[in-house]
Amino acid sequence: MTNKAREVIVLENLEQMTEVAVDAFKKIAKQAIKERGRFMLAFSGGKTPVNFYQKLAQNKKCSIWDNTHLFLSDERFVPLQNSASNFHLIKSTLLDKLCFNHFHAYPVEVAAETSSIAAKKYEEKIREIFHLKENELPEFDLIMLGMGADGHTASLFPNDSSLNEKRHLTCAVSNDQHEHERITLTLPVINRARNVIFLIEGAKKAEAVKVVIEGQNLNYPASLVKPSLGQVVFLIDTAAGGLLSNKGGE
Ligand code: 6PG
């Protein structure tokens, strides 16, 4: 990977994407811990990152986790035991397999009365752990994101008012196209990250990938991810990159 503001890497398959993602994860984590004593991280849900979480879980004693503070890029407003919960996915594929008895992982308080209260509480937790002053944004060292075929990322969906949120760090999202209400990091937080890595695979996303990488359709939330000071890397398999003019990435 280079230190360009945006990099597009097209790889043969999910296995190769995962290898590159794991290497980048370790490099970013070690640098953050060296420079600031801790690694501030946010993971997404969905199917694509499962292979990546399983790969990380193979190194059970990886010392990185001792200094890692793990948040969620987004969450469904369901009990943590529910199979639709992103925290449940990350806990079962990764956290439960690591040899640590205490862990700095921060699930969304989905037991709150409403998704709006859960979002507010998550914002308060982020402010607490990052020791933020009023109006200060958290600087995540790494935010891992996926993308839907409609160009959504985290739980930022096309044409949703959450895309215009400029003040809050999190917000609640609900629309009839999605079974569950959601809580998501907002764009100001995502665009404050030092590193954002997208994992995108499969032909069904090829159209959205072409628009996000080559077009300027700002209706696609993933197009709005442009870290102001950091780097965004799109790790894409050949199927998802199948419509790109430059199939080798950039
Ligand atoms: C979620 C995710 C979501 C995901 C995309 C891609 O809560 O569902 O955070 O933003 O990254 O929908 O999902 P897949 O990896 O399953 O295609």
Side-chain angles (χ1 to χ4, degrees), residues 44-49 74 76 86 146-148 152-154 182 205:
S44 280
K47 299 179 196 65
T48 309
D74 66 323
R76 289 84 180 276
N86 287 341
M147 187 185 75
H152 85 259
T153 189
R182 309 276 190 109
K205 302 189 182 173

Side-chain angles (χ1 to χ4, degrees), residues 133-200:
K133 301 185 190 70
E134 190 59 31
N135 300 324
E136 196 177 10
L137 288 169
E139 292 184 11
F140 278 91
D141 295 299
L142 175 58
I143 298 179
M144 298 292 296
L145 293 175
M147 187 185 75
D150 62 353
H152 85 259
T153 189
S155 285
L156 298 166
F157 296 99
N159 310 312
D160 192 276
S161 58
S162 55
L163 294 174
N164 305 314
E165 178 54 57
K166 296 283 182 272
R167 201 159 54 87
H168 289 290
L169 309 182
T170 62
C171 60
V173 175
S174 58
N175 65 38
D176 50 13
Q177 288 169 46
H178 300 281
E179 186 184 354
H180 304 294
E181 291 180 86
R182 309 276 190 109
I183 292 91
T184 188
L185 294 181
T186 55
L187 279 168
V189 173
I190 293 171
N191 283 332
R192 185 75 183 166
R194 290 184 174 86
N195 296 279
V196 176
I197 296 179
F198 278 93
L199 289 174
I200 306 173

Side-chain angles (χ1 to χ4, degrees), residues 221-232:
S223 301
L224 302 174
V225 174
K226 295 181 177 144
S228 48
L229 300 172
Q231 179 185 44
V232 56

